[in-house]
Amino acid sequence: MSESPSEMDLELYRLVENSPRGSCRMFTADKSGVQDYIQQHFKNHDDIKNKIRNAINSNCFIELISLRLQIIDYWLRIFLENITPEIKRDREFGRLIKQAKNAGLPQQIYKKLEDFNNTRIAAIHGFAIGTTSYEQIQRAAESSKSLLIETITYIANNSGEIVYSRDHLHANPGAMVMEVAGFCRNLAENCEY
């Protein structure tokens, strides 16, 4: 005997089946690393917004860069898993963005991510010795929000599986289903990262 769908499941079914065809996507996350730590992933995902807000309010720009990098890293993992599930993902961020570029991430986003990563490395390894200034780190941290939005928006619109029926949905720890246009609009207008 199978279990009845939960109210949350029914809400998801309604979203998928009542949205215009092609507007909802499901993103798998088997290789993202969250499936073994799903409860902590959800807790951290909620908490990271507070950590980012605290970093901004405290002028802790190296912390802000690090937190936003983790969000971008997570979405690049989602992109690679949904575009090229057969490849072994690199863990180091510089190599990860190269893999994403090779999988189809546009050159303009790749170049911005590469510049962001170089600034991050200079901030973490060069501030104390003088190869960068805190003002440069602050500018990079402040501009990282628009890069995060641009990266996530591209990934949400260009990867994942289009779903339009509950029959297309399958349980997968860490997987997510979204109505992409609404998600991207909310991200652009209300980004808490």
Side-chain angles (χ1 to χ4, degrees):
M1 184 168 136
S2 65
E3 285 184 36
S4 297
S6 69
E7 187 55 42
M8 201 170 177
D9 290 336
L10 293 171
E11 187 177 321
L12 178 61
Y13 298 160
R14 284 190 292 273
L15 170 72
V16 168
E17 293 173 344
N18 295 326
S19 296
R21 193 176 183 112
S23 62
C24 291
R25 290 181 183 258
M26 183 173 74
F27 300 86
T28 59
D30 293 340
K31 298 177 187 175
S32 68
V34 303
Q35 63 276 16
D36 295 332
Y37 312 100
I38 196 70
Q39 294 307 316
Q40 189 67 44
H41 165 73
F42 287 135
K43 180 188 176 306
N44 291 356
H45 184 74
D46 290 340
D47 194 37
I48 201 164
K49 295 172 186 174
N50 292 325
K51 300 285 186 203
I52 287 173
R53 194 173 15 260
N54 290 340
I56 292 168
N57 293 338
S58 302
N59 294 326
C60 295
F61 300 113
I62 293 173
E63 174 80 355
L64 180 58
I65 286 171
S66 178
L67 291 166
R68 286 187 175 151
L69 176 127
Q70 290 180 56
I71 298 296
I72 293 169
D73 179 278
Y74 171 74
W75 277 92
L76 289 172
R77 292 177 189 210
I78 296 296
F79 177 70
L80 288 171
E81 181 167 338
N82 285 272
I83 295 294
T84 56
E86 69 283 352
I87 68 164
K88 181 176 178 354
R89 176 187 45 82
D90 286 327
R91 294 180 55 101
E92 191 265 328
F93 189 70
R95 286 185 275 209
L96 182 66
I97 61 176
K98 285 179 184 162
Q99 282 185 304
K101 180 186 79 163
N102 293 338
L105 188 72
Q107 178 66 29
Q108 74 215 36
I109 297 175
Y110 167 75
K111 180 66 176 131
K112 290 176 188 177
L113 288 170
E114 186 179 49
D115 292 345
F116 171 68
N117 191 43
N118 289 337
T119 300
R120 174 191 70 87
I121 292 168
I124 291 171
H125 301 290
F127 178 67
I129 59 173
T131 59
T132 191
S133 70
Y134 211 71
E135 291 75 24
Q136 290 171 304
I137 294 168
Q138 179 179 356
R139 283 193 299 276
E142 290 169 349
S143 68
S144 66
K145 182 175 182 176
S146 62
L147 176 58
L148 180 143
I149 292 169
E150 181 179 9
T151 303
I152 294 173
T153 299
Y154 177 82
I155 292 168
N157 280 292
N158 294 283
S159 66
E161 175 186 345
I162 293 174
V163 292
Y164 50 87
S165 164
R166 70 182 72 195
D167 297 332
H168 297 126
L169 303 174
H170 47 88
N172 176 333
M176 59 188 147
V177 176
M178 68 178 69
E179 190 276 316
V180 174
F183 170 81
C184 292
R185 186 174 42 258
N186 186 56
L187 179 67
E189 294 171 1
N190 305 305
C191 182
E192 296 181 75
Y193 299 123

